[in-house]
Amino acid sequence: MRLNGEFSSGEEEEEVMEKSEVGTTPFLGQKIVVGYALTAKKKKSFLQPNFISLARSKGIYFVSIDVNKPLPEQGPFDIVLHKLSGEEWRDMIEDFRQKHPDVIVLDPPDAIQHLHNRQSMLQDVVDLNLSETYGKVGIPSQLVITKDKDSSTIPYEVTKAGLKLPLVAKPLVVDGTAKSHELYLAYDEFSLSELEPPLVLQEFVNHGGLLFKIYIVGESIKVVRRFSLPNISKRELSKVAGVYRFPRVSCAAASADDADLDPSIAEHPPRSLLEKLAKELRHRLGLRMFNVDMIREYGTKDVFYVIDINYFPGFGKMPNYEPVFTDFLLNLVQNKCKKKLTA
């Protein structure tokens, strides 16, 4: 089976585990086997030597899953960690999850698939009923242009929807390819006909050129600041026309954490707000590890917008991800064992 054209089949793992060494329900002091099915790129960024070493010191071992072989014939695994695309893989992992409830699967394929559509991913934010005590969280006004729409009709659709320029254009489907993360900024509505559906159009919100990447790993929340698109003035808007492509700003290598920024822009969202948001999204999404891209409306202190949600993002770019993720895996297994003991 070929999945997304990127995986290693039958590769040698850093630590070879014999089936007899590991039970399927490990307790403290026993080895925990994490089977992983990741693209080559994801494996390189996530399974870094320091992380593997720390995990091993805690009794956690990573073993590559051969996607060309039936999953039940491999292992046994205590946890299955996966991020591969394709209907065939989703069917395989869902069938395994149903037939092997003792194995922790991160995460349910249907829940992951929910984040592959930018319309459905942000609907969960729209439906949130967060208290505004610590701030307001929403999404930018947006319009979905489906695949069956002709590009020439986009300006009309935008006018009918009452969206204000400039508009950020993103592909509707997030499938892991570079194309699905292409970002465009449209300064005038007539140039919108240059875009290719399906896509999502979002009103651009001035946010001081700063974006907050909020990493959620189980109960852990980490915030990293990234440089983003600069503010756009009405004067600039009146002088510029066309549609411009931008790099994938939210994952730019340059972190803004050490930059000399205006405190009103750089201040992190309130911790209490993030904890409430993370708890609600974990419940609604049915996911345990994801990140939220959030911006603060320029000139405000407590008005925030979620502009993207990503499953199993580049945790390798999160400071000190090694102990956070190691503790996360340990807690998953320990909580499972406690439930068995009290059942």
Side-chain angles (χ1 to χ4, degrees):
M1 177 170 59
R2 292 293 181 267
L3 301 165
N4 219 26
E6 248 188 321
F7 63 83
S8 298
S9 173
E11 61 190 50
E12 291 297 322
E13 186 48 51
E14 292 80 4
E15 186 79 16
V16 178
M17 301 292 295
E18 296 294 335
K19 288 188 178 183
S20 59
E21 287 183 309
V22 186
T24 56
T25 54
F27 291 84
L28 290 175
Q30 289 186 303
K31 291 176 180 176
I32 298 172
V33 180
V34 180
Y36 67 86
L38 306 173
T39 63
K41 181 179 178 181
K42 177 61 70 174
K43 179 196 169 186
K44 182 178 180 181
S45 67
F46 180 67
L47 293 178
Q48 297 180 17
N50 287 345
F51 178 38
I52 292 175
S53 177
L54 176 63
R56 189 177 300 167
S57 72
K58 303 287 187 179
I60 301 173
Y61 294 82
F62 295 95
V63 177
S64 176
I65 291 173
D66 187 340
V67 297
N68 292 305
K69 296 179 181 178
L71 201 48
E73 294 179 8
Q74 304 180 64
F77 303 120
D78 301 298
I79 299 173
V80 170
L81 189 67
H82 68 102
K83 191 177 183 183
L84 294 177
S85 61
E87 188 174 348
E88 195 173 354
W89 169 256
R90 291 200 303 273
D91 290 344
M92 178 190 292
I93 196 68
E94 180 59 31
D95 181 67
F96 178 83
R97 195 172 75 92
Q98 295 295 333
K99 293 178 179 177
H100 299 81
D102 284 345
V103 179
I104 300 167
V105 175
L106 293 173
D107 268 312
D110 287 347
I112 297 172
Q113 189 66 18
H114 185 71
L115 292 190
H116 288 179
N117 182 294
R118 284 195 164 93
Q119 181 181 21
S120 61
M121 80 162 64
L122 294 183
Q123 187 59 45
D124 288 294
V125 179
V126 174
D127 293 339
L128 288 178
N129 186 25
L130 297 180
S131 167
E132 294 187 14
T133 305
Y134 303 106
K136 183 179 178 181
V137 179
I139 67 170
S141 297
Q142 66 176 34
L143 173 67
V144 175
I145 306 295
T146 54
K147 192 175 183 178
D148 59 311
K149 296 286 185 180
D150 190 282
S151 296
S152 63
T153 67
I154 297 179
Y156 168 75
E157 296 289 344
V158 166
T159 301
K160 186 171 72 171
L163 291 187
K164 299 176 183 177
L165 294 165
L167 297 174
V168 179
K170 305 175 183 179
L172 178 61
V173 178
V174 184
D175 58 8
T177 63
K179 184 176 177 62
S180 70
H181 292 287
E182 288 181 348
L183 179 68
Y184 296 86
L185 192 61
Y187 285 91
D188 69 289
E189 66 179 50
F190 299 106
S191 299
L192 293 169
S193 57
E194 300 173 16
L195 298 170
E196 181 182 348
L199 51 86
V200 173
L201 298 173
Q202 291 180 344
E203 286 188 355
F204 180 80
V205 177
N206 279 338
H207 52 282
L210 195 71
L211 176 147
F212 301 100
K213 292 193 79 70
I214 302 160
Y215 293 93
I216 297 166
V217 185
E219 299 293 322
S220 176
I221 303 171
K222 295 284 185 179
V223 182
V224 176
R225 290 181 293 226
R226 298 282 185 196
F227 289 114
S228 182
L229 300 177
N231 289 347
I232 299 173
S233 66
K234 290 183 179 179
R235 181 180 179 183
E236 180 184 357
L237 187 60
S238 66
K239 293 184 176 182
V240 182
V243 175
Y244 296 88
R245 181 179 176 182
F246 286 87
R248 191 179 172 190
V249 293
S250 66
C251 66
S255 169
D257 281 333
D258 299 323
D260 185 16
L261 300 169
D262 182 338
S264 65
I265 296 173
E267 182 182 0
H268 282 188
R271 187 71 187 181
S272 52
L273 179 69
L274 295 181
E275 289 174 352
K276 181 72 172 174
L277 177 66
K279 181 180 179 180
E280 289 290 334
L281 286 180
R282 278 196 301 266
H283 173 69
R284 288 176 177 271
L285 297 173
L287 298 171
R288 286 169 281 197
M289 50 182 202
F290 55 96
N291 90 297
V292 175
D293 288 347
M294 177 184 283
I295 57 175
R296 175 191 282 113
E297 185 173 358
Y298 185 71
T300 74
K301 184 177 181 180
D302 58 0
V303 179
F304 300 94
Y305 293 91
V306 172
I307 57 174
D308 246 331
I309 305 175
N310 304 287
Y311 179 70
F312 200 162
F315 286 119
K317 297 175 184 176
M318 182 180 85
N320 299 315
Y321 87 97
E322 299 93 342
V324 170
F325 220 95
T326 299
D327 289 344
F328 168 59
L329 296 175
L330 286 173
N331 288 334
L332 284 175
V333 175
Q334 290 171 13
N335 289 338
K336 184 186 73 172
C337 292
K338 288 177 184 177
K339 287 180 181 179
K340 283 206 164 194
L341 286 173
T342 57

